[in-house]
Amino acid sequence: MWVTGAVPVLRADGQPLQIRNRMTLCRCGHSSSKPLCDGTHREIGFHEEMPADGGDRRPNNDEGQQTA
C-alpha cells in the first residue's frame, strides 16, 4: 500500500520510522521489514481479497467519483 504525504508511521515497538514523502506499507503480513513492504507478497502469492459484500475498495475523489 502506497502512503504519500509525509505521514508519520511507527514500528511495532513504537519507535517512529523516518518520515518520507512516500513509502510502501506491508499488507500481506509477511514482510521481514514490517511495517514496510519488502516484496514478499510476490513470493507467497498474496492477492487482495474483495469485501464480502462485493463492494469496490477504490477511494472516491472530492467529487464522489471513483478513481481508477
Side-chain angles (χ1 to χ4, degrees):
M1 171 183 357
W2 277 96
V3 177
T4 59
V7 175
V9 175
L10 302 178
R11 299 184 320 203
D13 64 5
Q15 296 297 312
L17 291 174
Q18 177 183 11
I19 295 177
R20 303 177 190 167
N21 260 347
R22 65 180 184 212
M23 63 180 72
T24 307
L25 299 178
C26 174
R27 292 189 53 230
C28 74
H30 295 277
S31 173
S32 62
S33 60
K34 284 184 233 161
L36 301 176
C37 174
D38 68 358
T40 299
H41 61 277
R42 288 186 296 258
E43 295 172 18
I44 65 169
F46 175 81
H47 296 281
E48 178 179 16
E49 294 181 25
M50 294 302 295
D53 65 3
D56 192 343
R57 289 187 171 185
R58 290 180 294 170
N60 291 333
N61 64 19
D62 293 339
E63 298 167 358
Q65 301 291 323
Q66 287 187 335
T67 58

